[in-house]
Amino acid sequence: MAFYDLDFLEKTFIHYAKQNTRSYEENHDQVPSSPNQVKMGKELSEQLKEIGLEAYYNEETGFTIGHLKKNVVDQVTPIGFFSHIDTADFNAENIRPQVHRNYDGKRVVLDEKEGIYLDPKEFPALATCKGETLITSDGHTLLGTDDKAGIVGILGMLKYLTEHPEVEHGDVYIGFGPDEEIGYGGQRFDPKDFPGVELAYTLENGRPGDFEYETFNATEVQIHIRGTVVHPGEAYGLMVNATTLMNEFLNGLPKDQVPENSKGHDGYFMVVNTSSNVDHADISLIIRDFDWDKFTQKEQLVRDLVEELNKKYGNDRFKLKMRRQYENIYNVIRDKPYVVNLALDAYRKLGIKPNIQTFRGGTDGNFITQKGIPTPNLFNGGGNYHGRYEYATVEQIDKLAEVLTTIVEEHLSQTRHGRDNDPLKKYW
């Protein structure tokens, strides 16, 4: 049985999915990085007002902020929810959502002429969508499920709460942000827009029951190598080939700690880009690990390797820049189990089996957690993110709206009757 008005969820998702809100790394100094994100952010601000919230668009951060006032006299801390407006680096021009009602579980034709199909043999998770209203692209663009499904789930929850004033709740804050896909949105979020908010959730990628409160610790590394160019006929004892030095550095990295050999809680080094000639060379790489000690050891390995090579070839041959990108949400949440237990209690109340996973990436929640608001990640009701095979179902977005409503209700209930702070719970 549907929790909310499925017609509203479908039409609203399709409306926003059609909008090209792709973000662009090369424009990251702009806030946000593309003008259509501003347009959609301001439209969302107006829609939040129509629903009954206080809302505004923050020009400095690019966040649309909404506030649903509490309807109880209890002293209950505000709770927050986040979804992002931008989409990933895949074609987002002329998006044409396709609706497949009562999906039969078989192969979906996206473009017969071009031979583009959404096939459950290739994407087994489609089996969970059988009988539901499946929405896809036409196979030539992404759909925007990440994260417009999350946005619509939030809107569904808000409409339910405002249309059912008998449902008691505390203050609820909403943040629709820009540029998550290029890693800048959450960094720019201003906690002053969420006054008093104790905990929050991002709604990123996944099916009902998915839950992620562990993410990578992440560092970006840039290395510039200076060579010495001499005519090869006179190079003996004089030439220093930057390409050779670059290869020596790369050979010093652990061969087995790479993404293609990593899963679960495994960390890795990933060489993202290299360029070189005799005169100079440049290396871009990233470091990822869930475990803080192993993460800092990986950082130190790079420092030690650069220091060793500078001693071997002379100081300043290697110039190293390291930038911490984000930290594991679990570093904070392990001491604040309530934010996890609250979501798990909501899942169990609705009969949803929790599927706790490590998130082998980063979300806005990493940055928001570091700003003082513990923010793990739930789900948004879709799949195959960031490409032509993206999909969502109306029923799973509806389930998201129900989960969010239940979390809000449970937060008030547990504030009244005692919080679930047990760190030894079955699913912890």
Side-chain angles (χ1 to χ4, degrees):
M1 187 173 74
F3 167 73
Y4 194 70
D5 178 356
L6 298 186
D7 186 59
F8 165 81
L9 298 177
E10 178 182 325
K11 288 180 178 178
T12 305
F13 176 76
I14 289 174
H15 171 73
Y16 286 120
K18 288 180 177 179
Q19 299 185 29
N20 179 357
T21 54
R22 179 175 171 177
S23 53
Y24 293 90
E25 171 67 34
E26 61 268 27
N27 297 337
H28 71 265
D29 289 335
Q30 301 176 22
V31 183
S33 65
S34 57
N36 281 351
Q37 291 186 74
V38 179
K39 179 182 177 182
M40 181 170 162
K42 291 183 176 179
E43 182 178 355
L44 282 167
S45 177
E46 293 306 309
Q47 184 166 10
L48 289 174
K49 292 175 185 176
E50 291 172 5
I51 292 173
L53 280 70
E54 295 178 341
Y56 57 92
Y57 179 78
N58 187 323
E59 297 281 355
E60 292 186 5
T61 66
F63 271 80
T64 296
I65 303 298
H67 175 208
L68 177 64
K69 291 184 178 181
K70 67 179 184 178
N71 61 3
V72 294
V73 297
D74 303 69
Q75 294 298 314
V76 53
T77 54
I79 190 170
F81 298 100
F82 289 92
S83 289
H84 63 87
I85 292 170
D86 65 315
T87 58
D89 57 344
F90 193 84
N91 181 27
E93 285 289 343
N94 197 24
I95 298 170
R96 292 199 276 276
Q98 310 292 305
V99 179
H100 313 269
R101 303 197 185 281
N102 194 23
Y103 169 56
D104 61 8
K106 300 178 182 179
R107 187 178 73 169
V108 177
V109 177
L110 301 182
D111 188 322
E112 183 82 49
K113 184 178 180 181
E114 297 293 330
I116 303 173
Y117 306 98
L118 185 61
D119 194 332
K121 292 181 180 179
E122 186 176 2
F123 306 109
L126 279 168
T128 66
C129 304
K130 187 175 180 179
E132 299 181 355
T133 300
L134 181 72
I135 305 177
T136 70
S137 75
D138 64 359
H140 297 279
T141 68
L142 49 66
L143 179 62
T145 304
D146 180 13
D147 193 20
K148 291 169 183 177
I151 289 173
V152 174
I154 288 176
L155 294 174
M157 175 264 293
L158 294 171
K159 280 185 68 66
Y160 182 86
L161 290 175
T162 56
E163 292 172 358
H164 294 81
E166 73 278 7
V167 178
E168 295 184 324
H169 58 82
D171 288 293
V172 179
Y173 282 86
I174 306 303
F176 295 137
D179 293 337
E180 189 272 348
E181 298 292 357
I182 59 173
Y184 288 91
Q187 293 186 54
R188 292 170 173 148
F189 171 71
D190 187 348
K192 293 178 182 177
D193 283 331
F194 269 40
V197 171
E198 179 188 13
L199 62 141
Y201 299 92
T202 52
L203 312 177
E204 283 269 344
N205 306 0
R207 289 171 292 280
D210 286 359
F211 190 31
E212 297 147 340
Y213 54 81
E214 290 187 86
T215 58
F216 279 132
N217 298 293
T219 286
E220 178 186 64
V221 179
Q222 302 289 338
I223 298 173
H224 179 73
I225 305 168
R226 179 175 58 85
T228 298
V229 179
V230 179
H231 188 282
E234 300 175 345
Y236 181 79
L238 298 174
M239 178 185 286
V240 179
N241 192 324
T243 298
T244 303
L245 270 59
M246 178 188 75
N247 290 333
E248 188 168 347
F249 172 86
L250 295 175
N251 287 332
L253 297 175
K255 302 295 186 296
D256 59 334
Q257 297 182 40
V258 293
E260 54 266 39
N261 292 333
S262 302
K263 62 181 180 179
H265 281 83
D266 297 335
Y268 58 78
F269 299 86
M270 177 179 173
V271 178
V272 177
N273 189 45
T274 63
S275 62
S276 71
N277 54 35
V278 177
D279 181 65
H280 63 272
D282 290 282
I283 303 170
S284 296
L285 64 93
I286 57 175
I287 298 171
R288 299 289 188 266
D289 211 301
F290 291 94
D291 183 272
W292 183 256
D293 290 338
K294 292 179 180 179
F295 171 65
T296 56
Q297 289 167 12
K298 284 180 170 63
E299 290 181 321
Q300 192 58 46
L301 184 151
V302 170
R303 294 189 191 97
D304 291 345
L305 187 54
V306 167
E307 182 179 357
E308 175 187 330
L309 292 170
N310 268 333
K311 287 180 179 178
K312 181 176 179 179
Y313 293 106
N315 285 333
D316 298 329
R317 288 288 180 187
F318 287 75
K319 291 284 190 181
L320 171 65
K321 291 183 179 180
M322 301 181 74
R323 180 178 72 90
R324 287 261 175 92
Q325 294 172 292
Y326 51 84
E327 295 182 9
N328 187 349
I329 294 171
Y330 182 66
N331 296 345
V332 172
I333 286 177
R334 63 188 171 195
D335 297 321
K336 298 183 177 182
Y338 174 65
V339 65
V340 168
N341 292 338
L342 178 62
L344 293 177
D345 288 337
Y347 281 176
R348 283 194 289 274
K349 187 173 182 179
L350 295 172
I352 299 173
K353 183 179 179 180
N355 179 28
I356 297 174
Q357 306 178 81
T358 55
F359 189 65
R360 293 179 61 83
T363 72
D364 280 342
N366 291 85
F367 302 109
I368 295 163
T369 297
Q370 290 173 236
K371 292 173 183 284
I373 304 173
T375 307
N377 183 61
L378 299 176
F379 65 93
N380 67 5
N384 296 347
Y385 307 98
H386 293 193
R388 70 178 77 245
Y389 299 110
E390 273 191 324
Y391 65 86
T393 78
V394 176
E395 288 80 1
Q396 290 186 22
I397 297 174
D398 180 64
K399 182 58 65 175
L400 172 60
E402 185 178 17
V403 166
L404 301 183
T405 302
T406 304
I407 287 174
V408 171
E409 292 181 275
E410 277 293 297
H411 181 49
L412 174 61
S413 177
Q414 292 194 26
T415 297
R416 286 171 169 170
H417 302 112
R419 291 189 172 193
D420 192 347
N421 275 312
D422 183 1
L424 301 177
K425 291 189 66 174
K426 180 180 177 182
Y427 293 107
W428 175 250

